[in-house]
Amino acid sequence: MTDTLLNKISKSSNNTIITDAWLTGQTGEIVDIKGDYVFRFIDFIDNGELRHKHTTEESKLTCPIVATGLVGFWLHRKDDIGIKDIFEAYFKFRLEQYVSAHKYDDDAWERDLQKEFICHHHIPSEKNLIKESKALFAYITESDQKKLISVSSNYLKFARAKRKELYPPNHPSNRIIEDTFLDAYRMGGPAYECMEWMRIEYDMPNMGPHWHKSGKTRKELLTGKWKNHHDSFIPEYVAEEYEDFDDGVLIYTDGGLMDEINENLKNYSTYDDRVRYIISLLQPFKEFAAAFNSKEQTDERKRAIERCRNEMKSWENVADDAVDELTGEPLEASKQIEACKSFIDKYEQDIKYWKTVEDDFFWLAQHGLGAGKYRTFRCEVNDKMCKCLGRWWSLMITFSRRLAAVTLTYGIKLMDIQEQCGIYLNWHFMITDYVDHKFITSIDHAKKLLTDIENNKRKEIGEKLFKSNEEFDAWNYTCGLIRNAQKRIVLVDGYIDERILSLLTKREANVTATIYSRYNETIKTDIEKYNKQYSPIEYIQFSKAVHDRFLIIDDVVYHMGASVKDMGKSLCAVTKMNITPQEIIDNVTK
């Protein structure tokens, strides 16, 4: 048997090849009769002498179609131009066909026909044409079939890339890599859909088993288009997105994802803003992560159980014949106790159920990653979907470790943030630190950062105490605040001199400086001379008496226990305040 039969397929009726080599055992030709990239099998009568069975074109057009769409186009062009040129030419050909077919529609004036074709029509319709072209497989060799499968799958990949190139997602410029990565885990993304498919396929709904009312699983309840959606569309969608997904942005040091996140963290001036940003990075993982770690739901159930037990105790002290003082109705304490027991039982079922679901998801992911089976699953599983689930899970864990390393350098523990928002990407971290834009394996450095975080809680909230005669420490601390300013410095202090001007020379050139103080002719002269040489300082006199001193760095307000020029001479403190800068400025100026 020859390795290929593709060379016996005819591009036109003028140059046909009649053969009995087709795997079906039939004698005939595979030919594009009209030159429209639609190939049919034209059978012949062979009883010792070959004779035409179809003598007219109309008769030939009744023969079965065996190849069309991209496959038919490739059969025409494969010997003339390269595969990229074939893909580009076919894409253009189909786009022009679609626009031509719809440009006379009554509402064509308000439709973007190109976007309509590329984003919605082309790929689904092409999949159907590829399926239709599998009729050719009955006639050609196994190696030919593999070739057509490869060409078809690569074209679909090309079409998806074209769609993203021509109509990319609309992400903020500073979050393009980040949002593109996180989109996979958001609702509707491939990681999310893979997880949801697993829940339906293996009967692992979000709620416990006692919530099943019909006795049927979610999969058994699927019918019609929803059954087809689950059985065919979702596995195809997940596989395609899995194939196209660029995980290099995360797994390579120069991939760009962690650099983008680090730059964004730098642009936030306060601890709270950084925490909010980090939570926004965790939010897309919420549903996917909960499949593997249901701690938030479990903790809620444990609290509910504790409330029920406390309520039971209160009812145990109520006589069974007691009545409501307002209504006179019997309280029926025994029934209330039984109701509490019933709820406790259901909540405990939920906790046990979620633990089983966690174990099942972990097994499915590990199976997809090729890990040894430490136990068998309760049924046969879809290996392709397991492979996708395993990879999405692995990437989530890697992302959590990378993120934990970056946030640690800002004095933020990712474990604390997970507790705060109830989204647990990872429960046990293996720290790989991120220093100067390079990943390094350094457990000692990680331990040092963690220790610093634990030992400097007062520093984190901006509290600092200076004893008498600690002038240099106080000056050095204030210089650090000035150097850290990114946008503005505002000083509210009734007692200033040239030492304050010396302090403000340490700010960055693009950082504005404003001083609110009492009338002082000498300092006005000093500031005028300062402004001729350095980045200007705005000097504003108080409109009212102000006793305390405040230093505003960007959007953070510090209450200074002494005039800045005298800090450390005697016992004093600095405290970060939980108010906006505008509140201080308004009270000083109005």
Side-chain angles (χ1 to χ4, degrees):
M1 183 180 294
T2 60
D3 289 336
T4 181
L5 290 173
L6 296 178
N7 56 6
K8 297 186 182 300
I9 296 175
S10 307
K11 298 179 183 179
S12 71
S13 298
N14 297 327
N15 189 24
T16 58
I17 299 174
I18 304 165
T19 179
D20 62 355
W22 308 115
L23 292 196
T24 59
Q26 295 172 277
T27 299
E29 60 184 348
I30 294 178
V31 61
D32 179 359
I33 299 169
K34 299 177 68 177
D36 57 357
Y37 311 116
V38 177
F39 288 80
R40 287 175 165 82
F41 178 75
I42 314 298
D43 53 332
F44 279 64
I45 297 171
D46 185 5
N47 52 4
E49 181 182 356
L50 279 178
R51 289 186 296 110
H52 285 285
K53 183 177 179 180
H54 306 276
T55 57
T56 66
E57 184 171 306
E58 289 75 14
S59 178
K60 290 179 181 180
L61 289 174
T62 64
C63 293
I65 294 174
V66 294
T68 186
L70 180 274
V71 174
F73 195 88
W74 178 79
L75 288 170
H76 257 278
R77 302 289 187 90
K78 64 183 177 66
D79 299 324
D80 303 324
I81 57 177
I83 195 71
K84 186 176 187 298
D85 291 335
I86 289 176
F87 286 175
E88 290 282 3
Y90 181 70
F91 186 86
K92 182 180 179 182
F93 166 72
R94 294 281 286 142
L95 173 58
E96 290 173 350
Q97 263 192 340
Y98 186 85
V99 172
S100 179
H102 292 280
K103 66 183 180 181
Y104 296 112
D105 292 354
D106 293 344
D107 60 349
W109 65 273
E110 62 179 351
R111 289 158 55 190
D112 185 339
L113 295 178
Q114 175 175 299
K115 184 176 183 180
E116 196 174 285
F117 169 79
I118 294 171
C119 295
H120 305 292
H121 174 79
H122 182 44
I123 292 175
S125 66
E126 200 57 44
K127 285 179 180 178
N128 290 330
L129 294 175
I130 289 170
K131 286 179 183 177
E132 191 176 344
S133 298
K134 286 187 176 180
L136 183 60
F137 286 14
Y139 300 88
I140 57 179
T141 67
E142 185 177 346
S143 62
D144 290 337
Q145 295 172 22
K146 289 180 179 177
K147 179 66 176 175
L148 290 182
I149 290 171
S150 176
V151 169
S152 300
S153 63
N154 272 284
Y155 179 75
L156 291 175
K157 188 174 182 179
F158 166 86
R160 293 193 298 271
K162 201 78 171 174
R163 180 175 61 191
K164 290 177 182 177
E165 174 193 339
L166 296 173
Y167 299 98
N170 186 22
H171 296 312
S173 59
N174 66 325
R175 299 184 75 160
I176 292 173
I177 304 174
E178 167 195 316
D179 278 350
T180 302
F181 179 86
L182 297 179
D183 278 348
Y185 294 88
R186 292 188 173 96
M187 185 177 293
Y192 174 90
E193 293 296 342
C194 184
M195 176 273 298
E196 276 293 297
W197 186 91
M198 292 285 179
R199 286 197 183 278
I200 294 172
E201 183 71 11
Y202 305 118
D203 191 29
M204 300 185 292
N206 286 305
M207 303 309 297
H210 61 272
W211 290 91
H212 288 216
K213 301 297 183 184
S214 66
K216 291 185 177 181
T217 67
R218 287 171 67 188
K219 185 179 179 181
E220 290 170 337
L221 292 171
L222 294 175
T223 58
K225 67 177 183 179
W226 296 113
K227 187 176 188 307
N228 182 65
H229 184 80
H230 175 80
D231 293 344
S232 300
F233 177 80
I234 292 298
E236 286 180 10
Y237 166 72
V238 170
E240 288 172 358
E241 292 294 319
Y242 173 87
E243 183 181 357
D244 293 347
F245 189 72
D246 182 13
D247 58 6
V249 299
L250 171 66
I251 62 178
Y252 300 125
T253 7
D254 58 351
L257 176 59
M258 302 318 296
D259 286 327
E260 186 176 87
I261 289 172
N262 190 49
E263 286 302 313
N264 288 336
L265 281 167
K266 282 182 182 178
N267 291 329
Y268 290 109
S269 58
T270 69
Y271 176 90
D272 290 342
D273 285 341
R274 284 173 178 154
V275 168
R276 280 191 286 271
Y277 171 63
I278 294 166
I279 290 175
S280 78
L281 298 177
L282 302 185
Q283 193 64 39
F285 294 93
K286 185 175 178 63
E287 299 300 330
F288 186 87
F292 295 88
N293 191 332
S294 58
K295 186 176 185 301
E296 183 185 28
Q297 299 98 309
T298 299
D299 286 350
E300 189 279 325
R301 286 293 189 262
K302 287 178 179 178
R303 290 190 293 270
I305 289 171
E306 187 61 28
R307 288 195 297 270
C308 285
R309 285 177 177 160
N310 290 335
E311 191 171 344
M312 276 177 59
K313 288 180 182 178
S314 66
W315 283 110
E316 286 170 356
N317 298 322
V318 177
D320 209 36
D321 58 353
V323 296
D324 188 302
E325 293 180 357
L326 294 175
T327 65
E329 297 290 328
L331 292 174
E332 299 180 315
S334 59
K335 287 187 177 181
Q336 298 293 343
I337 292 171
E338 287 303 314
C340 289
K341 288 180 179 178
S342 176
F343 279 115
I344 289 172
D345 179 62
K346 289 180 179 180
Y347 295 153
E348 287 176 342
Q349 283 184 53
D350 280 345
I351 293 172
K352 184 179 178 180
Y353 169 75
W354 282 326
K355 177 60 180 171
T356 302
V357 169
E358 286 178 12
D359 291 344
D360 284 349
F361 266 107
F362 183 75
W363 186 94
L364 292 164
Q366 292 300 307
H367 177 74
L369 291 170
K373 297 182 180 180
Y374 58 89
R375 65 176 175 85
T376 58
F377 201 67
R378 49 190 158 81
C379 62
E380 188 175 347
V381 297
N382 183 313
D383 287 341
K384 289 183 179 179
M385 290 294 278
C386 285
K387 180 181 178 181
C388 295
L389 181 75
R391 187 59 176 154
W392 295 123
W393 173 79
S394 176
L395 288 171
M396 180 181 73
I397 298 300
T398 302
F399 177 77
S400 71
R401 290 171 179 167
R402 297 278 195 267
L403 184 62
V406 175
T407 59
L408 202 57
T409 63
Y410 291 88
I412 300 171
K413 288 199 296 183
L414 188 60
M415 189 65 73
D416 292 344
I417 306 302
Q418 290 189 152
E419 288 277 5
Q420 181 177 335
C421 66
I423 304 171
Y424 299 92
L425 276 61
N426 196 357
W427 193 239
H428 302 287
F429 286 100
M430 295 171 58
I431 296 298
T432 301
D433 300 318
Y434 189 86
V435 180
D436 297 333
H437 302 278
K438 294 180 180 177
F439 290 111
I440 59 171
T441 50
S442 170
I443 299 302
D444 289 339
H445 183 218
K447 288 179 179 177
K448 179 181 181 301
L449 288 170
L450 287 168
T451 302
D452 288 347
I453 292 171
E454 292 301 322
N455 292 341
N456 291 288
K457 292 297 184 183
R458 287 173 63 81
K459 185 177 179 181
E460 283 183 13
I461 61 171
E463 294 181 3
K464 189 71 176 177
L465 182 70
F466 296 103
K467 300 174 185 176
S468 295
N469 300 316
E470 288 186 348
E471 290 182 66
F472 177 79
D473 288 346
W475 177 262
N476 196 42
Y477 172 80
T478 309
C479 286
L481 294 178
I482 298 298
R483 289 192 185 98
N484 285 335
Q486 300 290 317
K487 298 180 294 184
R488 65 172 174 176
I489 298 166
V490 179
L491 175 63
V492 179
D493 191 336
Y495 301 92
I496 60 173
D497 60 20
E498 67 276 8
R499 283 173 289 184
I500 299 300
L501 306 187
S502 176
L503 182 67
L504 290 174
T505 62
K506 303 179 186 300
R507 64 188 161 122
E508 295 291 339
N510 62 330
V511 175
T512 64
T514 305
I515 295 174
Y516 290 89
S517 188
R518 63 176 61 192
Y519 178 78
N520 184 328
E521 192 62 37
T522 301
I523 198 64
K524 282 184 67 177
T525 303
D526 289 342
I527 290 175
E528 287 173 4
K529 294 182 181 300
Y530 177 100
N531 289 348
K532 290 178 181 179
Q533 185 174 350
Y534 296 101
S535 182
I537 296 170
E538 184 179 10
Y539 177 66
I540 301 173
Q541 293 176 216
F542 287 150
S543 60
K544 61 174 75 172
V546 178
H547 180 274
D548 286 9
R549 298 91 178 171
F550 303 92
L551 179 61
I552 298 170
I553 305 294
D554 296 328
D555 296 316
V556 182
V557 178
Y558 295 89
H559 179 259
M560 315 298 284
S563 288
V564 173
K565 65 183 180 62
D566 299 322
M567 291 281 291
K569 283 185 177 181
S570 56
L571 182 66
C572 62
V574 178
T575 306
K576 187 171 82 171
M577 301 185 70
N578 189 26
I579 59 175
T580 66
Q582 198 59 45
E583 291 180 70
I584 294 296
I585 294 170
D586 287 346
N587 277 287
V588 169
T589 57
K590 294 179 182 179

